[in-house]
Amino acid sequence: SCKDDEIYIPDTYNGKPVLSIGEEAFYFGFDGYNGKDTIKKVVVPEGCLYFKSYINCTIEKLVLPSTITYINYDFETLSMSDIGIVEKITIRNNPYYKMVNHCLVDVENKTVIHFEDGFVIPTDGSVNAVYVNYYDDEKDYILIPEGITVAIMNLDGGETINLPHSLKCLTLNTLDGNFGYATEKIIYNGKASE
């Protein structure tokens, strides 16, 4: 059911359980959702297993159930001209995904797949990869902690990025779709011979 700018997805449709949110559920094209480019809240019901939707609007709050077993890794979709943003995620007692320090973590793959404002990448060994699109005009410093071996990030550019010795693979691109990356400074914590 929808009421203006909040969407509550039902747990059944035509008498059958809702198990998956499809790829285009929150991909609205250039017109947005009912002419809007921001949705205040989306609640996915208990029992839903898959969140496959690409997102090209702003969702202020996304509430995911304990039953979700798959989230599309292109969580904040980067397309030719539209960038989708999820500002806040709540996930209930889920064994596959968890929120840690404002980071959405794929537990099995030990991968951060989404940043919220104020994020700090976990340093407790629960994460070894970062795969995100992130846009924040206010964030000017990103610390990739020791233990991270892969960082694939689309950013808005201009940040100072601190890279760990443990990093084996790094890909940085700007969110406007340009290849390459313009940053203020990259700090590498390895040895000069590396």
Side-chain angles (χ1 to χ4, degrees):
S1 66
C2 299
K3 58 178 189 180
D4 292 343
D5 48 10
E6 294 187 2
I7 298 173
Y8 295 83
I9 298 169
D11 57 359
T12 60
Y13 181 75
N14 287 338
K16 296 182 180 177
V18 173
L19 299 176
S20 182
I21 307 303
E23 289 181 2
E24 295 186 8
F26 298 100
Y27 192 82
F28 300 117
F30 296 107
D31 295 331
Y33 166 72
N34 290 339
K36 301 175 186 177
D37 59 1
T38 299
I39 302 169
K40 288 200 178 292
K41 185 176 184 181
V42 173
V43 178
V44 178
E46 283 296 323
C48 188
L49 301 174
Y50 309 104
F51 190 91
K52 298 178 180 179
S53 185
Y54 295 97
I55 298 170
N56 75 331
C57 60
T58 296
I59 297 175
E60 291 181 5
K61 183 174 184 180
L62 176 62
V63 179
L64 296 171
S66 64
T67 53
I68 286 286
T69 61
Y70 173 83
I71 297 174
N72 186 344
Y73 267 46
D74 292 328
F75 205 73
E76 293 179 87
T77 299
L78 176 62
S79 65
M80 291 185 62
S81 62
D82 294 332
I83 300 168
I85 297 172
V86 178
E87 294 178 359
K88 177 139 182 75
I89 297 174
T90 301
I91 191 159
R92 305 177 208 136
N93 302 320
N94 187 293
Y96 302 98
Y97 298 94
K98 65 181 178 179
M99 290 299 297
V100 180
N101 303 331
H102 301 284
C103 297
L104 179 60
V105 176
D106 175 333
V107 174
E108 181 179 353
N109 293 309
K110 296 180 133 187
T111 302
V112 174
I113 60 171
H114 177 75
F115 289 149
E116 293 178 348
D117 287 346
F119 73 88
V120 176
I121 299 170
T123 58
D124 62 359
S126 65
V127 170
N128 60 23
V130 176
Y131 181 80
V132 296
N133 295 327
Y134 183 72
Y135 177 77
D136 181 0
D137 287 333
E138 304 298 317
K139 188 86 169 169
D140 58 1
Y141 179 80
I142 296 175
L143 171 66
I144 307 294
E146 195 60 45
I148 300 296
T149 58
V150 177
I152 300 171
M153 299 187 296
N154 292 331
L155 305 167
D156 61 340
E159 298 89 352
T160 295
I161 302 175
N162 192 322
L163 303 175
H165 176 66
S166 59
L167 199 63
K168 306 290 183 218
C169 176
L170 173 67
T171 301
L172 297 173
N173 290 305
T174 58
L175 278 177
D176 61 7
N178 293 324
F179 294 103
Y181 182 74
T183 184
E184 293 294 319
K185 187 189 296 184
I186 294 179
I187 301 168
Y188 176 62
N189 292 321
K191 299 174 186 164
S193 62
E194 299 173 316

